[in-house]
Amino acid sequence: MSAELICVGSELLLGDILNTNAQYIAQELAKLGIPHYYQTVVGDNPERLQAAIESAIHRAEILIFTGGLGPTPDDLTVETLADFFQTPLQERPDVLRDIEAKYARRGRTMSPSNRKQALLPEGADVLPNPVGSAPGIIWRVGGVMIFTFPGVPSEMRAMWQETAVPTLKALGWGQQVFHSRTLKFWGIPESELAEKVSGFLNSVNPTVAPYANYGHVKLRVSARAESTEAAEALIHPIAQQIQEIAGSDYYGSDEETLATVVGQLLQQRGETLAVAESCTGGYLGKRLTEVPGSSAYFSGGVIAYENRIKEHLLGVDGQVLERLGAVSGPVAEQMAAGVRDCCGTDWGIGITGIAGPSGGTPEKPVGLVYIGLAGPESVSHVGYRLGDTRGRDWIREISVSHALNQLRLALSRP
Amino acid sequence: MSAELICVGSELLLGDILNTNAQYIAQELAKLGIPHYYQTVVGDNPERLQAAIESAIHRAEILIFTGGLGPTPDDLTVETLADFFQTPLQERPDVLRDIEAKYARRGRTMSPSNRKQALLPEGADVLPNPVGSAPGIIWRVGGVMIFTFPGVPSEMRAMWQETAVPTLKALGWGQQVFHSRTLKFWGIPESELAEKVSGFLNSVNPTVAPYANYGHVKLRVSARAESTEAAEALIHPIAQQIQEIAGSDYYGSDEETLATVVGQLLQQRGETLAVAESCTGGYLGKRLTEVPGSSAYFSGGVIAYENRIKEHLLGVDGQVLERLGAVSGPVAEQMAAGVRDCCGTDWGIGITGIAGPSGGTPEKPVGLVYIGLAGPESVSHVGYRLGDTRGRDWIREISVSHALNQLRLALSRP
């Protein structure tokens, strides 16, 4: 038993809109434990929509449609379904009254074209739309169960939650929950982690699936069970073993980010942080202050984009700047120590690098970044060669994550 | 002749990621004038991927795949295609060398699992990946033309532009160009702008479509013609009239952002900028330094998250902080003037506010933000009540845009 999603709308095929409905319904089906193997996007065209229905009814028992419920002639989902299952449409007085009432409430009179929104296939139930005018249908026909929703996300979501979820639960879905935990890693390539934990990648319940973005590698551990607790019980031991294997490359799970983890560690130690940013221009501060309550441990810092500011506000040695250049380990360290001292914090981070696209040299290519870390006891730096292929934004993004991770590792040491 | 898109990845069916690749490729196909009637999303499962290929080859001549090119065992797109067309895979030494070289450049050694990314079907051409390790293929087989791309958007887009577009144009596509210009506005609600320009919204070639996100209102003016120049000739007069109607609410078009426009204005005037950020914590600096070459006019500044830093580094009057609180117009002005002076720039911006979720009071609710602007002649501030319904990130985002727009308007005055 599985569900299949068919999104109807030429605007999707033209790329005018992003298909957020597909992601929402995918997440909701996963929550209810309803398997979901295919999504199809098709335009406002009856023949092609019929072809999509034809393939879907042989693969799934629950068919979910979004889009094509509007009042305009190109909105064809319900008519096409009625055609496909050779069922006449009939006007539903209750639906018509409801649409008229909604227009009246907005001080408008219903336009004749809205009448077609009250035409439903014989035998289909109304899937009420608490937000907009177009209702959906719930229809058991030809061995499948059909749900139709408008394409407008706010209407679709309200209808999904108010009617579709209770209906599916009444059918016994959502008894088995599908629960997952995402383990997050920094500092190890996806391929290397996948090899380290290869023994788990073929596990069935829970499943373990790797993915990666912007240098973060993630393992999604997903289990199906009677309850969230039971699913957690399946996930926990696997997650534990994976975390042991990964060691300090593992930094957190689910909603945790490098910034929240660093924040927790600082708060546990009752210590504070300030940042000095050159090539990242404030991005590290932005990431740190995305976390509500970060003022408990983050004081602020200096955006030292210009060398003059590195000298005057951070006290970086002008001769060192002269001799080694702004992009160097010693300058990163002096920035870190300087901001720690001028802000009176326990920790300071300094970032200096060449984000590009221009400004690179053979000795100091685009993507060369030095991150300095000044703590209560010591000052250190790490240099990174991030390359120039992925561009300026990527270099800045990765630099900020490296900086947060350096601090995380320092704070984690006993 | 038409194209069809098949997106491969269980993470899409679980709703872990939004399918932005589908929208991008849809827009690109529209630009090239290549018809596109179906999109299919399928998981990392060879049988179901084979079924998707089976349906697609009967409907389209160009098959575009995204996802499933990674090094891990669940990345199956190329193997499955080879199976489907009963073609052996062969290791391509050139591809292998390229992958090894990319790892070497980042100071890493390629892990054995990456070897599989060098396995391509006999007779397929390499679709080079300038960004990441996984190459794609261009393969004429079984009467169709196949393109495969990684799921990582930055890699997919680079490969699409550098190789797929020229290949498709060489086949005669993209003769009729679909060209558009996006006009961008700040400070006017979408509905209000739509009314002002309602006369253009029913225009056919070019079409004019409004949309809005994060306070930016946009009008996309799109034309179909024999050449980009011909399309531009259709777009230009309409864009001109719309810009006149919108006046100073119009700030730029296409790739221009508030940050690039401010940068151009500063460079024209040979003036410089520094920023002092409290609730935005560095986000304004981040946005400014996203622009390559921003060091020509942006000096840096101070992240004054803590009041102590507002006093010590920016010289904000402690009694004013005491009496009026950090979130007040005078403090915003003193932050702006203070950072202008300590960084020795012509202009200074100060942002102080309550981003929430906590920290609000009846007099100073979450969403209250003051932005101070200090120029060569004068210092001023504007207060905003952004409300608490849209959350912390939104408040910070909008605050940064308001700050950039205030400076833009000041720099635009004759």
Side-chain angles (χ1 to χ4, degrees), chain B residues 268-325:
Chain B
Q268 283 161 22
R269 299 165 58 118
E271 296 177 336
T272 56
L273 170 68
V275 299
E277 306 188 58
S278 184
C279 64
T280 50
Y283 196 6
L284 175 56
K286 188 256 183 180
R287 287 265 292 274
L288 284 160
T289 54
E290 274 170 3
V291 182
S294 44
S295 55
Y297 50 84
F298 179 66
S299 302
V302 172
I303 302 172
Y305 211 55
E306 200 183 7
N307 282 350
R308 208 156 37 77
I309 293 177
K310 295 184 181 74
E311 286 188 62
H312 295 174
L313 292 186
L314 298 172
V316 174
D317 180 337
Q319 286 165 341
V320 174
L321 275 171
E322 190 63 42
R323 214 171 57 254
L324 304 175

Side-chain angles (χ1 to χ4, degrees), chain B residues 95-412:
Chain B
V95 175
L96 193 60
R97 274 195 303 277
D98 176 65
I99 298 173
E100 284 166 336
K102 279 178 177 135
Y103 273 83
R105 234 179 291 135
R106 287 184 234 126
R108 296 234 194 85
T109 54
M110 188 192 87
S111 73
S113 62
N114 288 96
R115 261 195 116 79
K116 95 191 251 281
Q117 297 182 304
L119 291 173
L120 271 52
E122 240 170 61
D125 296 322
V126 178
L127 202 174
N129 182 340
V131 180
S133 61
I137 62 172
I138 300 179
W139 190 19
R140 292 172 173 283
V141 60
V144 297
M145 186 166 188
I146 289 169
F147 295 79
T148 67
F149 299 89
V152 181
S154 59
E155 301 183 14
M156 182 277 291
R157 293 175 186 212
M159 292 163 74
W160 179 269
Q161 294 300 339
E162 288 184 21
T163 307
V165 171
T167 306
L168 291 166
K169 285 192 168 169
L171 295 170
W173 293 105
Q175 305 311 326
Q176 261 256 337
V177 301
F178 179 82
H179 184 68
S180 63
R181 190 192 302 176
T182 301
L183 307 175
K184 301 179 176 179
F185 308 83
W186 182 267
I188 182 169
E190 183 179 16
S191 55
E192 199 179 315
L193 180 66
E195 275 161 40
K196 278 189 170 186
V197 301
S198 55
F200 299 103
L201 297 183
N202 302 322
S203 149
V204 174
N205 192 25
T207 58
V208 179
Y211 49 108
N213 64 330
Y214 280 98
H216 299 269
V217 176
K218 300 173 185 177
L219 290 176
R220 189 160 113 228
V221 187
S222 311
R224 205 173 273 292
E226 294 312 308
S227 67
T228 308
E229 295 62 34
E232 259 302 323
L234 291 169
I235 291 168
H236 188 69
I238 306 272
Q240 279 298 316
Q241 294 173 62
I242 292 172
Q243 289 176 40
E244 274 158 35
I245 293 168
S248 66
D249 291 330
Y250 168 81
Y251 68 80
S253 60
D254 295 335
E255 299 312 305
E256 292 181 308
T257 66
L258 286 169
T260 63
V261 170
V262 160
Q264 287 153 14
L265 290 166
L266 284 167
Q267 278 182 291
Q268 283 161 22
R269 299 165 58 118
E271 296 177 336
T272 56
L273 170 68
V275 299
E277 306 188 58
S278 184
C279 64
T280 50
Y283 196 6
L284 175 56
K286 188 256 183 180
R287 287 265 292 274
L288 284 160
T289 54
E290 274 170 3
V291 182
S294 44
S295 55
Y297 50 84
F298 179 66
S299 302
V302 172
I303 302 172
Y305 211 55
E306 200 183 7
N307 282 350
R308 208 156 37 77
I309 293 177
K310 295 184 181 74
E311 286 188 62
H312 295 174
L313 292 186
L314 298 172
V316 174
D317 180 337
Q319 286 165 341
V320 174
L321 275 171
E322 190 63 42
R323 214 171 57 254
L324 304 175
V327 180
S328 61
V331 167
E333 290 192 2
Q334 289 187 22
M335 288 171 68
V339 79
R340 176 198 60 191
D341 300 344
C342 81
C343 296
T345 53
D346 303 292
W347 296 86
I349 295 175
I351 305 180
T352 176
I354 301 158
S358 62
T361 66
E363 312 72 51
K364 294 189 176 182
V366 168
L368 178 66
V369 177
Y370 290 94
I371 295 170
L373 181 62
E377 279 94 31
S378 64
V379 182
S380 63
H381 78 267
V382 182
Y384 301 89
R385 289 179 178 271
L386 304 177
D388 60 359
T389 51
R390 288 191 171 90
R392 179 180 179 88
D393 292 345
W394 186 85
I395 289 167
R396 283 153 47 94
E397 174 89 33
I398 296 293
S399 300
V400 167
S401 297
H402 274 308
L404 290 168
N405 194 59
Q406 249 175 265
L407 178 58
R408 175 182 73 89
L409 294 174
L411 293 170
S412 309

Side-chain angles (χ1 to χ4, degrees), chain A residues 13 15-16 23 27 36 39 41 191 195 220 281 285-286 289 299-301 303 305-306 308 390 392 396, chain B residues 13 15-16 23 27 36 39 41 106 111 113 220 281 285-286 289 299-301 303 305-306 308 343 392 396:
Chain A
L13 295 179
D16 289 337
Q23 183 183 26
Q27 289 170 334
H36 161 229
Q39 295 172 355
V41 176
S191 51
E195 275 160 38
R220 191 166 193 277
K286 188 255 183 182
T289 54
S299 302
I303 301 172
Y305 211 54
E306 199 183 8
R308 210 155 39 75
R390 284 185 157 89
R392 180 179 179 86
R396 285 153 46 92
Chain B
L13 294 179
D16 288 337
Q23 183 183 26
Q27 289 170 336
H36 160 230
Q39 296 172 353
V41 176
R106 287 184 234 126
S111 73
S113 62
R220 189 160 113 228
K286 188 256 183 180
T289 54
S299 302
I303 302 172
Y305 211 55
E306 200 183 7
R308 208 156 37 77
C343 296
R392 179 180 179 88
R396 283 153 47 94

